[in-house]
Amino acid sequence: MKLEHPHQLILDNVSRFVDLTELEKQKYLSLLTAIKVKKKAFLMQAGEIAKYEYFITKGCLKVYTLDEDGAPHISMFAVEDYWTGDMASFITKEPSRYFIKATEDSELLGISRLNYDLLFQEIPKFERFYRILYQKSLINYIRRSNHGISLTAEERYIEFKKKYPKIVNRITQKDLAGYIGITPEFMSKIITKVNRM
Amino acid sequence: MKLEHPHQLILDNVSRFVDLTELEKQKYLSLLTAIKVKKKAFLMQAGEIAKYEYFITKGCLKVYTLDEDGAPHISMFAVEDYWTGDMASFITKEPSRYFIKATEDSELLGISRLNYDLLFQEIPKFERFYRILYQKSLINYIRRSNHGISLTAEERYIEFKKKYPKIVNRITQKDLAGYIGITPEFMSKIITKVNRM
DNA sequence: TAAAAGTCTTAAACTAGTTCATTTTTTTTC
DNA sequence: GAAAAAAAATGAACTAGTTTAAGACTTTTA
């Protein structure tokens, strides 16, 4: 079977953890919805209930909340081959506190809550896929939340550059500040300083 | 079948997400190891490879790293009915950077890496159990890592007290400071101030 | 139950990061 | 491709949290 790029990409992603038969692959793809968003468009806004979990096949998006003062706090950047969404809202069906906004024209595959539940009934192998996917994400988050608290902003910036060299060049300094957890002004100072070294 | 308290506690924990038959329960319990640690004793030290994941049936433990300056950063407190360990090291078999130390005489049930892998072969239902367990932990960590970055230390303390009222009274102020991410001196100031309000 | 070890409090001097205000540079839009 | 909008740089005054040091209080241990 000849597949277009987005479908091939998501099947490769899934096959890192589980092996699917041809039939299962077809069944799986039939449960996904293709979605396009233009740069600056919202995939989701705070107050809504997260309808989908997304796999990015092209582009770049940012996931963020606004605090009481209206300052954005970015929790992740998602690019090709990443999963994103607001899992808390997706699972609990409570309103989200997050915005998801495309920072480039982007293409995604979404799985709805209904199809997500169906997926486990129809192809139990996906329990294993998600078990391993969540395990890996958890390991990442634990690392990050401990790092976040023990490093200075400058160290966090250097780590980010090392860990995500491709993402740094695709986002604005302002958004990076929102991710690192500092003001854009201080971000600017750090970058000037680090480049001087 | 009459079970002692620790076994009943862990089966109740598992049955929140999956239903096990009597046979599966017995099989599961046979894969666990009962462990006791005295107050101040280490369950694990940095440099070791995490041999077990632990379920606490009695007591309280802290999980922490030391930064370059030797200052402790506590990533979690684990009490009755909690799971703990260093998942990154347990899964990757790389040396851990964490210490796990009992802050009270404690009793745990451990599952070894060998038995963890065996568990999924013998009782595939556990893929589902861990899928849901990791999903919930992930939701918690995401919340915490965003909170951590956007709140002041005083706000983080107030949140902690609200979320874990029973744990606050079981740990020292110094350890709480290590969790909140501030010095014990500043923790002392915050507590004095908050109590005055 | 006395001594030792660890925890908590207080305070003064310090630093990483913020706030606010202005100018320059880059990107977007029509 | 000019005008408007957004992002980045710079600097001065400010604040949340650190550091160091010393004394009071509690818990552990022999």
Side-chain angles (χ1 to χ4, degrees), chain B residues 112-124:
Chain B
S112 68
R113 183 60 206 281
L114 228 63
N115 285 353
Y116 176 82
D117 289 337
L118 209 60
L119 184 61
F120 297 119
Q121 286 174 42
E122 307 249 332
I123 319 174

Side-chain angles (χ1 to χ4, degrees), chain B residues 20-104:
Chain B
L20 298 180
T21 65
E22 279 307 313
L23 214 72
E24 286 168 336
K25 286 180 189 176
Q26 274 178 16
K27 179 74 208 170
Y28 178 50
L29 294 180
S30 79
L31 295 175
L32 304 176
T33 310
I35 296 164
K36 289 191 183 192
V37 264
K38 285 262 168 216
K39 180 169 180 172
K40 290 193 181 172
F42 288 100
L43 200 54
M44 190 183 107
Q45 290 191 252
E48 298 172 13
I49 291 163
K51 291 192 180 51
Y52 295 91
E53 286 274 273
Y54 305 95
F55 177 81
I56 292 93
T57 56
K58 182 163 168 289
C60 183
L61 303 102
K62 59 181 175 187
V63 182
Y64 65 96
T65 0
L66 299 178
D67 65 20
E68 306 89 53
D69 310 331
H73 293 270
I74 295 179
S75 64
M76 82 176 292
F77 298 103
V79 295
E80 293 81 14
D81 208 33
Y82 275 59
W83 287 91
T84 196
D86 174 0
M87 202 162 63
S89 169
F90 183 74
I91 294 300
T92 65
K93 295 180 179 165
E94 286 166 15
S96 176
R97 285 173 295 122
Y98 291 90
F99 298 82
I100 306 181
K101 193 176 192 176
T103 64
E104 301 174 3

Side-chain angles (χ1 to χ4, degrees), chain A residues 67-84:
Chain A
D67 65 21
E68 306 89 53
D69 310 330
H73 292 270
I74 296 181
S75 64
M76 82 177 293
F77 299 104
V79 294
E80 295 81 12
D81 208 33
Y82 274 61
W83 288 92
T84 196

Side-chain angles (χ1 to χ4, degrees), chain A:
Chain A
M1 183 173 47
K2 180 103 193 318
L3 290 169
E4 339 129 53
H5 170 69
H7 284 166
Q8 194 52 59
L9 198 64
I10 200 169
L11 289 179
D12 286 349
N13 185 279
V14 168
S15 71
R16 290 192 306 186
F17 305 146
V18 289
D19 288 321
L20 298 181
T21 66
E22 280 306 313
L23 213 75
E24 286 169 337
K25 286 180 187 175
Q26 276 179 17
K27 179 75 209 172
Y28 178 49
L29 294 179
S30 79
L31 295 175
L32 303 175
T33 310
I35 297 164
K36 290 190 183 195
V37 266
K38 285 260 166 219
K39 181 169 179 170
K40 290 193 180 172
F42 287 100
L43 199 56
M44 189 182 108
Q45 289 191 251
E48 298 173 13
I49 291 163
K51 290 191 179 53
Y52 295 91
E53 287 274 273
Y54 305 95
F55 177 81
I56 292 93
T57 57
K58 183 164 168 287
C60 182
L61 302 102
K62 58 182 176 187
V63 184
Y64 64 96
T65 359
L66 299 178
D67 65 21
E68 306 89 53
D69 310 330
H73 292 270
I74 296 181
S75 64
M76 82 177 293
F77 299 104
V79 294
E80 295 81 12
D81 208 33
Y82 274 61
W83 288 92
T84 196
D86 175 0
M87 201 162 64
S89 169
F90 183 74
I91 294 300
T92 65
K93 294 176 179 168
E94 287 165 14
S96 175
R97 284 172 296 121
Y98 291 89
F99 299 82
I100 305 181
K101 192 176 192 176
T103 64
E104 301 172 3
D105 291 355
S106 303
E107 296 176 18
L108 314 100
L109 293 169
I111 185 159
S112 69
R113 183 60 205 280
L114 227 62
N115 285 354
Y116 177 82
D117 288 337
L118 209 60
L119 184 61
F120 296 119
Q121 286 174 43
E122 307 248 331
I123 320 175
K125 269 176 203 173
F126 272 91
E127 296 280 10
R128 182 175 176 82
F129 171 71
Y130 277 105
R131 193 260 295 170
I132 300 175
L133 182 69
Y134 293 157
Q135 187 169 61
K136 293 207 178 266
S137 313
L138 201 44
I139 290 174
N140 263 323
Y141 264 100
I142 291 171
R143 239 175 229 153
R144 184 176 154 198
S145 69
N146 288 313
H147 253 121
I149 223 157
S150 66
L151 301 182
T152 63
E154 186 178 320
E155 290 167 325
R156 275 177 275 152
Y157 165 64
I158 292 170
E159 287 279 309
F160 184 87
K161 246 174 69 169
K162 201 190 294 172
K163 191 162 182 196
Y164 307 106
K166 282 167 193 159
I167 296 185
V168 176
N169 310 311
R170 288 171 78 167
I171 58 177
T172 62
Q173 249 172 249
K174 198 186 168 201
D175 280 345
L176 184 51
Y179 178 88
I180 300 271
I182 55 174
T183 58
E185 291 88 343
F186 194 53
M187 185 81 258
S188 170
K189 274 177 206 170
I190 285 174
I191 290 176
T192 313
K193 185 186 165 201
V194 170
N195 288 343
R196 217 171 345 96
M197 298 199 305

